[in-house]
């Protein structure tokens, strides 16, 4: 495991400095840039004794390989990594667990967007396989706009086995598939539920699909046959939110 990681972007750094300031080792800020949100990050960092350096843009660009850092970069200790044992604890803590499972989502921008939407919807944890999935990179954190530091991203070794364990714990596994006969709006989604979303373009793997309790599809009225996985995830999650509120 890496001893440190680079974080960047206003949202991501705001979240870390508010929730886990002890992770921050050093803050690097674009020289000459002044705005309220950036000043708040700087002041919070200094309050916790974190060194702040003001740098030229090229210095910041080089630290994050040219990524869009919004004028603020931090060297930090790695965040907590969640595994199967943590998932068991999360499920047992909630009477009606609400989970999102991403099967093979490899694009970090899509993973970040899914994390942001999941946190907004009140999902208790997002589950991904350790292999063939995007990891919690600085890009994911930036796109997630702080959500990556709030919602647990649980990496599991065997996704099919994890799904079976969830089923034994009373969680209903709902998969999304274009060939499903039921629409999203025809399914009961109000109990303990885990929504499974497949990879971009490929959908769920066969073994994952076979382990689902129920399959649903989004009703598509136009000529477009599919949605980006993060958009489809948002539609499905907030239908679950609606039903859980009834």
């Amino acid at each position: 495991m890496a001893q440190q990681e680079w974080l960047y972007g206003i949202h991501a750094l705001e979240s870390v400095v508010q929730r886990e300031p002890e992770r921050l080792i050093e803050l690097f800020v674009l020289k000459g840039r002044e705005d309220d949100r950036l000043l708040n990050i700087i002041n919070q960092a200094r309050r916790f004794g974190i060194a702040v350096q003001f740098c030229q843009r090229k210095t910041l660009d080089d630290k994050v390989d040219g990524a869009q850092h919004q004028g603020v970069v931090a060297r930090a200790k790695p965040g907590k990594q969640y595994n199967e044992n943590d998932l068991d604890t999360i499920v047992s803590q909630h009477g009606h667990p609400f989970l999102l499972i991403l099967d093979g989502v490899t694009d970090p921008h899509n993973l970040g967007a899914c994390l942001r939407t999941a946190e907004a919807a009140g999902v208790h944890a997002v589950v991904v396989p350790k292999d063939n999935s995007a990891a919690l990179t600085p890009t994911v954190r930036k796109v997630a706009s702080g959500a990556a530091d709030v919602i647990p991203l649980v990496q599991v070794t065997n996704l099919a086995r994890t799904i079976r364990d969830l089923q034994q714990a009373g969680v209903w596994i709902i998969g999304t598939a274009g060939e499903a006969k039921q629409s999203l709006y025809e399914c009961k989604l109000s109990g303990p539920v885990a929504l499974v979303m497949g990879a971009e373009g490929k959908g769920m793997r066969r073994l994952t699909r076979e382990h689902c309790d129920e399959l649903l599809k989004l009703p598509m009225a136009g000529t477009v046959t599919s949605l980006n996985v993060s958009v489809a995830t948002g539609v499905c999650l907030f239908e679950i939110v609606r039903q859980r509120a009834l």
Side-chain angles (χ1 to χ4, degrees), residues 28-166:
F28 301 88
V29 179
L30 181 63
K31 188 179 290 186
R33 172 167 179 178
E34 293 183 10
D35 60 59
D36 290 343
R37 292 177 70 187
L38 192 52
L39 286 173
N40 181 56
I41 293 171
I42 293 168
N43 291 335
Q44 289 273 44
R46 284 176 169 160
R47 195 160 68 97
F48 289 103
I50 298 157
V52 179
Q53 287 193 37
F54 293 89
C55 311
Q56 298 297 331
R57 180 173 295 278
K58 185 177 186 314
T59 302
L60 297 183
D61 290 346
D62 289 346
K63 290 183 184 301
V64 297
D65 296 326
Q68 294 296 316
H69 48 67
Q70 298 177 303
V72 60
V73 175
R75 187 163 59 92
K77 300 171 187 172
K80 175 176 170 55
Q81 294 191 349
Y82 295 87
N83 58 30
E84 289 90 342
N85 293 332
D86 297 302
L87 184 60
D88 292 341
T89 302
I90 291 166
V91 169
S92 65
Q93 287 174 340
H94 296 91
H96 288 78
F98 182 14
L99 306 173
L100 172 63
I101 298 173
L102 300 175
D103 184 20
V105 174
T106 56
D107 185 300
H109 292 87
N110 279 336
L111 177 57
C114 287
L115 285 170
R116 184 176 183 176
T117 303
E119 198 278 328
V123 168
H124 298 131
V126 176
V127 181
V128 297
K130 280 184 180 175
D131 298 325
N132 194 32
S133 173
L136 198 52
T137 62
T139 299
V140 171
R141 288 184 181 279
K142 182 175 183 294
V143 175
S145 298
D149 298 297
V150 181
I151 188 167
L153 179 68
V154 182
Q155 293 183 310
V156 300
T157 305
N158 186 315
L159 189 57
R161 184 174 63 211
T162 296
I163 289 174
R164 288 196 299 270
D165 291 344
L166 289 171

Side-chain angles (χ1 to χ4, degrees), residues 151-212:
I151 188 167
L153 179 68
V154 182
Q155 293 183 310
V156 300
T157 305
N158 186 315
L159 189 57
R161 184 174 63 211
T162 296
I163 289 174
R164 288 196 299 270
D165 291 344
L166 289 171
Q167 288 167 324
Q168 290 176 0
V171 178
W172 192 248
I173 309 295
I174 303 287
T176 51
E179 71 274 15
K181 299 206 169 23
Q182 284 194 104
S183 152
L184 167 68
Y185 305 111
E186 297 171 322
C187 295
K188 182 183 177 185
L189 305 168
S190 56
V193 65
L195 173 70
V196 186
M197 302 297 298
E200 304 92 352
K202 300 177 183 176
M204 290 181 293
R205 289 173 294 176
R206 179 187 58 80
L207 193 57
T208 305
R209 183 186 285 105
E210 290 174 356
H211 279 81
C212 290

